[in-house]
């Protein structure tokens, strides 16, 4: 079911994201898929849009990056993300009440389009290590 209507590019993008343990930007994906049939950023964006629409990939708004859905399912779901500032690891969690809460906060009049919950901090491993002085 998950690969229905996916073309070769879509599969390349999905595989790159599935292999990655960190969120990837469109350009990271392009770097990893360039040897195949993908030549331009627009092809990556097109595939990402399709995969996102099918719920196979999620966008992390704050990072402008993408992750493969950790839980393959057909229905649309409302994931939230716990993101470590230290190692950039992302953990997806199910937030079924998010939409209701968002609508409540925004008010009945407000036509809700999307909701995202992105929680930033440091994971157990990074919390105990000294902050890196990279860059
Ligand atoms: Zn998901
Ligand atoms: Zn970490």
């Amino acid at each position: 079911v998950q690969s229905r209507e996916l073309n070769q590019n879509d599969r390349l993008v999905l595989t790159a994201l599935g292999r990655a343990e960190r969120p990837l930007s469109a350009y990271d994906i392009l770097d990893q898929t360039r040897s195949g049939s993908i030549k331009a950023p627009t092809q990556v964006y097109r595939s990402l849009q399709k995969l996102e629409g099918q719920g196979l990939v999620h966008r992390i708004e704050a990072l402008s990056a993408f992750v493969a859905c950790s839980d393959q399912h057909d229905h649309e779901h409302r994931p939230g993300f716990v993101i470590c500032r230290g190692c950039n690891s992302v953990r997806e969690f199910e937030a079924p009440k998010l939409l209701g809460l968002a609508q409540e906060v925004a008010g009945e009049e407000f036509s809700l389009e999307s909701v995202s919950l992105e929680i930033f901090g440091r994971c157990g491993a990074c919390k105990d290590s000294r902050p890196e002085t990279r860059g």
Side-chain angles (χ1 to χ4, degrees):
V1 177
Q2 73 185 67
S3 60
R4 188 189 298 159
E5 290 176 39
L6 295 186
N7 63 32
Q8 196 191 344
N9 288 357
D10 302 337
R11 271 192 279 270
L12 281 171
V13 169
L14 189 59
T15 304
L17 284 169
R19 258 202 307 253
E21 284 167 11
R22 308 281 177 268
L24 299 179
S25 69
Y27 280 90
D28 292 335
I29 297 169
L30 183 63
D31 273 347
Q32 295 189 17
T33 54
R34 216 191 274 274
S35 56
S37 55
I38 295 178
K39 307 269 185 267
T42 47
Q43 292 174 296
V44 175
Y45 282 115
R46 207 175 300 143
S47 287
L48 284 170
Q49 206 168 31
K50 190 176 186 180
L51 293 166
E52 211 186 340
Q54 295 192 12
L56 298 171
V57 158
H58 301 301
R59 179 184 162 89
I60 311 282
E61 299 284 345
L63 300 176
S64 295
F66 299 83
V67 292
C69 180
S70 65
D71 182 16
Q72 306 281 331
H73 28 214
D74 291 331
H75 64 276
E76 198 184 336
H77 72 130
R78 300 283 163 190
F81 302 95
V82 178
I83 303 152
C84 175
R85 291 270 194 207
C87 63
N88 260 342
S89 65
V90 172
R91 186 165 56 80
E92 179 178 339
F93 64 91
E94 200 59 54
K97 290 175 183 162
L98 190 57
L99 203 61
L101 178 67
Q103 188 70 71
E104 202 179 304
V105 171
E108 276 175 41
E109 302 276 287
F110 191 82
S111 166
L112 210 65
E113 285 177 1
S114 73
V115 187
S116 65
L117 181 60
E118 297 171 357
I119 300 168
F120 288 89
R122 299 182 80 80
C123 72
C126 293
K127 194 176 60 182
D128 299 330
S129 65
R130 288 170 157 276
E132 290 180 43
T133 48
R134 217 189 314 162

